[in-house]
PDB file of all heavy atoms in Angstrom:
ATOM      1  N   GLY A 161     -11.642  41.992  12.017  1.00  0.00           N
ATOM      2  CA  GLY A 161     -12.791  41.211  11.584  1.00  0.00           C
ATOM      3  C   GLY A 161     -12.440  39.895  10.921  1.00  0.00           C
ATOM      4  O   GLY A 161     -13.244  39.352  10.173  1.00  0.00           O
ATOM      5  N   ALA A 162     -11.261  39.370  11.194  1.00  0.00           N
ATOM      6  CA  ALA A 162     -10.845  38.105  10.581  1.00  0.00           C
ATOM      7  C   ALA A 162     -11.510  36.923  11.274  1.00  0.00           C
ATOM      8  O   ALA A 162     -11.909  36.999  12.430  1.00  0.00           O
ATOM      9  CB  ALA A 162      -9.328  37.967  10.654  1.00  0.00           C
ATOM     10  N   THR A 163     -11.630  35.842  10.534  1.00  0.00           N
ATOM     11  CA  THR A 163     -12.084  34.567  11.082  1.00  0.00           C
ATOM     12  C   THR A 163     -10.999  33.537  10.783  1.00  0.00           C
ATOM     13  O   THR A 163      -9.985  33.860  10.167  1.00  0.00           O
ATOM     14  CB  THR A 163     -13.413  34.111  10.440  1.00  0.00           C
ATOM     15  OG1 THR A 163     -13.190  33.830   9.050  1.00  0.00           O
ATOM     16  CG2 THR A 163     -14.498  35.177  10.576  1.00  0.00           C
ATOM     17  N   ALA A 164     -11.217  32.302  11.173  1.00  0.00           N
ATOM     18  CA  ALA A 164     -10.228  31.260  10.882  1.00  0.00           C
ATOM     19  C   ALA A 164     -10.086  31.048   9.376  1.00  0.00           C
ATOM     20  O   ALA A 164      -8.987  30.822   8.881  1.00  0.00           O
ATOM     21  CB  ALA A 164     -10.623  29.951  11.559  1.00  0.00           C
ATOM     22  N   ASP A 165     -11.177  31.170   8.637  1.00  0.00           N
ATOM     23  CA  ASP A 165     -11.171  30.889   7.202  1.00  0.00           C
ATOM     24  C   ASP A 165     -10.891  32.103   6.320  1.00  0.00           C
ATOM     25  O   ASP A 165     -10.462  31.961   5.185  1.00  0.00           O
ATOM     26  CB  ASP A 165     -12.517  30.299   6.766  1.00  0.00           C
ATOM     27  CG  ASP A 165     -12.794  28.963   7.423  1.00  0.00           C
ATOM     28  OD1 ASP A 165     -11.838  28.263   7.785  1.00  0.00           O
ATOM     29  OD2 ASP A 165     -13.977  28.634   7.575  1.00  0.00           O
ATOM     30  N   ILE A 166     -11.186  33.281   6.832  1.00  0.00           N
ATOM     31  CA  ILE A 166     -11.010  34.508   6.043  1.00  0.00           C
ATOM     32  C   ILE A 166     -10.209  35.503   6.870  1.00  0.00           C
ATOM     33  O   ILE A 166     -10.626  35.899   7.960  1.00  0.00           O
ATOM     34  CB  ILE A 166     -12.363  35.135   5.649  1.00  0.00           C
ATOM     35  CG1 ILE A 166     -13.174  34.172   4.804  1.00  0.00           C
ATOM     36  CG2 ILE A 166     -12.139  36.455   4.914  1.00  0.00           C
ATOM     37  CD1 ILE A 166     -14.583  34.643   4.486  1.00  0.00           C
ATOM     38  N   LYS A 167      -9.067  35.889   6.333  1.00  0.00           N
ATOM     39  CA  LYS A 167      -8.258  36.916   6.990  1.00  0.00           C
ATOM     40  C   LYS A 167      -8.673  38.257   6.401  1.00  0.00           C
ATOM     41  O   LYS A 167      -8.712  38.429   5.185  1.00  0.00           O
ATOM     42  CB  LYS A 167      -6.764  36.661   6.786  1.00  0.00           C
ATOM     43  CG  LYS A 167      -6.302  35.354   7.398  1.00  0.00           C
ATOM     44  CD  LYS A 167      -6.605  35.304   8.876  1.00  0.00           C
ATOM     45  CE  LYS A 167      -6.235  33.988   9.502  1.00  0.00           C
ATOM     46  NZ  LYS A 167      -6.759  33.825  10.843  1.00  0.00           N
ATOM     47  N   ARG A 168      -9.022  39.177   7.279  1.00  0.00           N
ATOM     48  CA  ARG A 168      -9.511  40.485   6.848  1.00  0.00           C
ATOM     49  C   ARG A 168      -8.632  41.558   7.466  1.00  0.00           C
ATOM     50  O   ARG A 168      -8.395  41.557   8.676  1.00  0.00           O
ATOM     51  CB  ARG A 168     -10.963  40.681   7.282  1.00  0.00           C
ATOM     52  CG  ARG A 168     -11.592  41.968   6.791  1.00  0.00           C
ATOM     53  CD  ARG A 168     -13.060  42.031   7.218  1.00  0.00           C
ATOM     54  NE  ARG A 168     -13.734  43.181   6.684  1.00  0.00           N
ATOM     55  CZ  ARG A 168     -13.792  44.373   7.286  1.00  0.00           C
ATOM     56  NH1 ARG A 168     -13.199  44.550   8.458  1.00  0.00           N
ATOM     57  NH2 ARG A 168     -14.445  45.372   6.730  1.00  0.00           N
ATOM     58  N   PHE A 169      -8.151  42.436   6.616  1.00  0.00           N
ATOM     59  CA  PHE A 169      -7.264  43.507   7.039  1.00  0.00           C
ATOM     60  C   PHE A 169      -7.812  44.840   6.549  1.00  0.00           C
ATOM     61  O   PHE A 169      -8.440  44.908   5.499  1.00  0.00           O
ATOM     62  CB  PHE A 169      -5.861  43.321   6.446  1.00  0.00           C
ATOM     63  CG  PHE A 169      -5.208  42.031   6.856  1.00  0.00           C
ATOM     64  CD1 PHE A 169      -5.356  40.881   6.097  1.00  0.00           C
ATOM     65  CD2 PHE A 169      -4.438  41.977   8.008  1.00  0.00           C
ATOM     66  CE1 PHE A 169      -4.767  39.696   6.472  1.00  0.00           C
ATOM     67  CE2 PHE A 169      -3.840  40.786   8.393  1.00  0.00           C
ATOM     68  CZ  PHE A 169      -4.004  39.646   7.633  1.00  0.00           C
ATOM     69  N   ILE A 170      -7.527  45.884   7.296  1.00  0.00           N
ATOM     70  CA  ILE A 170      -7.828  47.232   6.838  1.00  0.00           C
ATOM     71  C   ILE A 170      -6.547  47.781   6.226  1.00  0.00           C
ATOM     72  O   ILE A 170      -5.492  47.788   6.875  1.00  0.00           O
ATOM     73  CB  ILE A 170      -8.301  48.142   7.990  1.00  0.00           C
ATOM     74  CG1 ILE A 170      -9.569  47.574   8.632  1.00  0.00           C
ATOM     75  CG2 ILE A 170      -8.521  49.566   7.485  1.00  0.00           C
ATOM     76  CD1 ILE A 170     -10.752  47.405   7.690  1.00  0.00           C
ATOM     77  N   LEU A 171      -6.636  48.183   4.974  1.00  0.00           N
ATOM     78  CA  LEU A 171      -5.514  48.828   4.306  1.00  0.00           C
ATOM     79  C   LEU A 171      -5.527  50.293   4.722  1.00  0.00           C
ATOM     80  O   LEU A 171      -6.522  50.988   4.530  1.00  0.00           O
ATOM     81  CB  LEU A 171      -5.638  48.707   2.786  1.00  0.00           C
ATOM     82  CG  LEU A 171      -4.585  49.468   1.974  1.00  0.00           C
ATOM     83  CD1 LEU A 171      -3.203  48.860   2.183  1.00  0.00           C
ATOM     84  CD2 LEU A 171      -4.950  49.473   0.499  1.00  0.00           C
ATOM     85  N   LYS A 172      -4.429  50.705   5.332  1.00  0.00           N
ATOM     86  CA  LYS A 172      -4.296  52.102   5.754  1.00  0.00           C
ATOM     87  C   LYS A 172      -3.164  52.740   4.967  1.00  0.00           C
ATOM     88  O   LYS A 172      -2.144  52.107   4.711  1.00  0.00           O
ATOM     89  CB  LYS A 172      -3.990  52.192   7.248  1.00  0.00           C
ATOM     90  CG  LYS A 172      -5.126  51.712   8.134  1.00  0.00           C
ATOM     91  CD  LYS A 172      -4.768  51.854   9.593  1.00  0.00           C
ATOM     92  CE  LYS A 172      -5.915  51.403  10.480  1.00  0.00           C
ATOM     93  NZ  LYS A 172      -5.558  51.561  11.922  1.00  0.00           N
ATOM     94  N   VAL A 173      -3.369  53.989   4.599  1.00  0.00           N
ATOM     95  CA  VAL A 173      -2.345  54.788   3.942  1.00  0.00           C
ATOM     96  C   VAL A 173      -2.194  56.051   4.770  1.00  0.00           C
ATOM     97  O   VAL A 173      -3.181  56.762   4.999  1.00  0.00           O
ATOM     98  CB  VAL A 173      -2.718  55.107   2.479  1.00  0.00           C
ATOM     99  CG1 VAL A 173      -1.622  55.935   1.825  1.00  0.00           C
ATOM    100  CG2 VAL A 173      -2.975  53.826   1.687  1.00  0.00           C
ATOM    101  N   HIS A 174      -0.995  56.302   5.239  1.00  0.00           N
ATOM    102  CA  HIS A 174      -0.731  57.437   6.139  1.00  0.00           C
ATOM    103  C   HIS A 174      -1.681  57.392   7.338  1.00  0.00           C
ATOM    104  O   HIS A 174      -2.156  58.419   7.811  1.00  0.00           O
ATOM    105  CB  HIS A 174      -0.860  58.776   5.414  1.00  0.00           C
ATOM    106  CG  HIS A 174       0.059  58.923   4.254  1.00  0.00           C
ATOM    107  ND1 HIS A 174       1.426  58.953   4.377  1.00  0.00           N
ATOM    108  CD2 HIS A 174      -0.205  59.029   2.922  1.00  0.00           C
ATOM    109  CE1 HIS A 174       1.967  59.095   3.190  1.00  0.00           C
ATOM    110  NE2 HIS A 174       1.007  59.136   2.286  1.00  0.00           N
TER     111      HIS A 174
END
Side-chain angles (χ1 to χ4, degrees):
T163 66
D165 297 334
I166 299 174
K167 297 303 177 192
R168 184 177 185 271
F169 300 91
I170 300 301
L171 174 67
K172 294 181 179 181
V173 180
H174 301 295

